[in-house]
Amino acid sequence: MSKTYYSPTHEYITVDGNIGYIGISDYAQHALGNVVYVDMPDEGDEIEAGEDFGAVESVKAASDLIAPVSGEVLEANEKLADNPRLINEDAMANWIIKVELTDLSQLDSLMDEEAYKAHCEAEK
């Protein structure tokens, strides 16, 4: 069964076993506005928790993507290269990268959906 976690920087990771799908939250895509470009790492790249692994650009701003966990990139969502607006259509369904997690304990420092909603409310 998969479970979704959230970071304070508005990335989510949906985890199934040791495979995670990382994207930006619905809250983040609303804040950014119309997404026009997604900068993604390549397959085989290593990402480190707390470090940037790419960026999302909108008509309003560019925002670094911060890795919620460490791992190896198994796949970048190529659909976003051709149509970055998919993130605006459904941020949770259109993940940015698929990773193999190297340390599942890193999930313990992330928020569940309820805690994330409270975090977003506090930011408003």
Side-chain angles (χ1 to χ4, degrees), residues 50-123:
E51 301 201 355
D52 67 4
F53 67 86
V56 174
E57 294 180 21
S58 72
V59 292
K60 289 198 283 189
S63 181
D64 286 339
L65 295 166
I66 308 299
V69 295
S70 299
E72 179 184 342
V73 177
L74 300 176
E75 185 181 344
N77 189 345
E78 291 302 321
K79 289 188 292 186
L80 297 178
D82 296 329
N83 190 2
R85 287 194 46 100
L86 288 170
I87 289 176
N88 295 119
E89 290 171 18
D90 190 340
M92 298 304 290
N94 290 290
W95 50 271
I96 296 171
I97 58 172
K98 176 180 171 182
V99 298
E100 183 173 6
L101 284 72
T102 52
D103 183 357
L104 290 173
S105 72
Q106 290 177 333
L107 297 171
D108 297 339
S109 66
L110 300 173
M111 294 176 272
D112 64 14
E113 189 167 352
E114 198 171 299
Y116 179 67
K117 282 182 180 172
H119 172 76
C120 292
E121 283 299 315
E123 278 198 352

Side-chain angles (χ1 to χ4, degrees), residues 1-5 13-17 19 107 111-113:
M1 187 179 125
S2 64
K3 181 164 182 195
T4 301
Y5 302 86
I13 180 167
T14 300
V15 180
D16 191 358
I19 303 299
L107 297 171
M111 294 176 272
D112 64 14
E113 189 167 352

